[in-house]
Amino acid sequence: MKLTHSLTAAGLALVLASGAFARDAALDLVEPLAEYKVYVTEKTEKLEADVTAFTSAVKAGDVEKAKALFAPSRTSYEAIEPIAELFGDLDASIDSRADDHEGGEANPDFIGFHRIEYGLWVKNSTEGLAPVADKLLADVKALRASIADLTFPPEKVVGGAAALMEEVAATKISGEEDRYSRTDLWDFRANFDGSRKIVELVRPLIEKKEATFLKTVDANFERIDTILSKYKQGEGYVSYEKLTDGDRKTLSAAVNTLAEDLSKLRGKLGLD
């Protein structure tokens, strides 16, 4: 999509005032940051639309439709997770897991995507989920509004490329994210795509002096892309339960390698 948003004057002043990197590097980053905000804005628009459909199915008591919409409704959120996490209360409300709460699933503070996931797959029911669905949609709308007013921190955006892969390696390969539905591979793909988008946007700034680095990163992206493609099924992915321990180890090794490479990206752009 052609750039249609620009950083505010205040946002540009914040970038230029930061002592973390040189003035010329800050100026170079203005356009990629603006492009990334366009990308995130589009993702939050889609997130709201998808969650509206998902929560409508939940409130209608249509268990099978809600199950079918669960994984795709999450992908936009997972792709922009580094930005969503800037709003800690909303992130916790939207995407916390049972073990983030004392008492686990029984804790009334356990809400959001994964509380609904628990009801759909473990209870095979939407009973009691209407208020959770309403809260999820309200939180998603609040997130969209908050992001619209946000000046994106350069170090958070660039660091997000590695953070997305590090989270997959640290907590998602184990299967704890979508533990009831086993739709983990959908999340992996969204994290992967979000990471790759950041690299694509900053590529012009380093491609001449960091050609070898980018060649290595691209090869690792392709490796993970090939691995994930093996598990495609229709518009989505097979159940994570179908992957063997060996499959998970192979995926984990590739993700860890890519995350390690991407951890150098901030430094190469003068953000460390």
Side-chain angles (χ1 to χ4, degrees):
M1 176 176 177
K2 185 177 180 181
L3 178 62
T4 57
H5 291 60
S6 61
L7 291 181
T8 64
L12 178 57
L14 182 150
V15 170
L16 294 176
S18 172
F21 50 91
R23 179 185 176 90
D24 57 345
L27 288 169
D28 287 343
L29 280 163
V30 169
E31 186 170 347
L33 288 173
E35 290 280 8
Y36 186 65
K37 187 160 188 176
V38 172
Y39 171 77
V40 172
T41 298
E42 291 172 344
K43 287 295 184 184
T44 54
E45 289 172 355
K46 188 172 190 313
L47 175 67
E48 184 176 327
D50 289 345
V51 170
T52 297
F54 171 57
T55 54
S56 293
V58 172
K59 293 179 68 177
D62 192 335
V63 172
E64 293 310 310
K65 183 176 181 181
K67 284 182 175 180
L69 294 176
F70 171 74
S73 74
R74 288 175 48 74
T75 55
S76 294
Y77 189 85
E78 291 292 325
I80 62 165
E81 207 162 12
I83 299 302
E85 288 176 349
L86 292 174
F87 304 94
D89 290 346
L90 285 173
D91 180 52
S93 183
I94 291 169
D95 203 38
S96 67
R97 304 167 190 172
D99 41 343
D100 293 326
H101 305 276
E102 185 176 354
E105 289 89 353
N107 191 319
D109 291 334
F110 174 45
I111 56 176
F113 275 120
H114 296 300
R115 175 61 184 88
I116 297 175
E117 179 195 10
Y118 172 73
L120 293 174
W121 271 271
V122 177
K123 303 293 187 180
N124 199 37
S125 170
T126 60
E127 184 178 356
L129 293 181
V132 182
D134 285 338
K135 174 64 171 167
L136 175 60
L137 182 56
D139 287 339
V140 165
K141 289 180 177 180
L143 178 67
R144 180 182 173 189
S146 298
I147 286 176
D149 295 331
L150 177 68
T151 297
F152 284 20
E155 67 283 356
K156 187 68 175 179
V157 173
V158 176
L164 283 163
M165 293 294 94
E166 288 164 357
E167 184 175 357
V168 173
T171 67
K172 292 184 176 179
I173 290 290
S174 64
E176 64 184 75
E177 175 82 0
D178 301 316
R179 64 189 68 174
Y180 316 114
S181 63
R182 314 314 302 159
T183 55
D184 306 78
L185 290 169
W186 289 76
D187 286 6
F188 294 178
R189 167 56 70 177
N191 293 152
F192 173 86
D193 289 346
S195 178
R196 200 171 202 174
K197 181 65 176 181
I198 294 169
V199 174
E200 287 174 359
L201 291 176
V202 301
R203 179 183 297 274
L205 304 184
I206 60 173
E207 60 185 348
K208 289 183 179 178
K209 63 179 181 179
E210 296 291 350
T212 300
F213 168 75
L214 287 173
K215 184 176 180 180
T216 299
V217 167
D218 289 344
N220 287 327
F221 271 127
E222 289 302 320
R223 182 183 176 197
I224 295 174
D225 194 27
T226 299
I227 292 171
L228 290 176
S229 295
K230 288 170 52 180
Y231 307 116
K232 281 284 291 180
Q233 184 177 72
E235 295 298 314
Y237 292 87
V238 301
S239 169
Y240 197 51
E241 290 179 332
K242 293 186 179 296
L243 274 67
T244 66
D245 287 343
D247 291 333
R248 296 187 189 195
K249 287 178 181 178
T250 297
L251 181 57
S252 178
V255 169
N256 273 300
T257 298
L258 179 58
E260 184 177 347
D261 288 337
L262 293 177
S263 69
K264 304 170 187 174
L265 189 59
R266 281 176 46 161
K268 293 183 181 300
L269 285 160
L271 295 174
D272 283 343

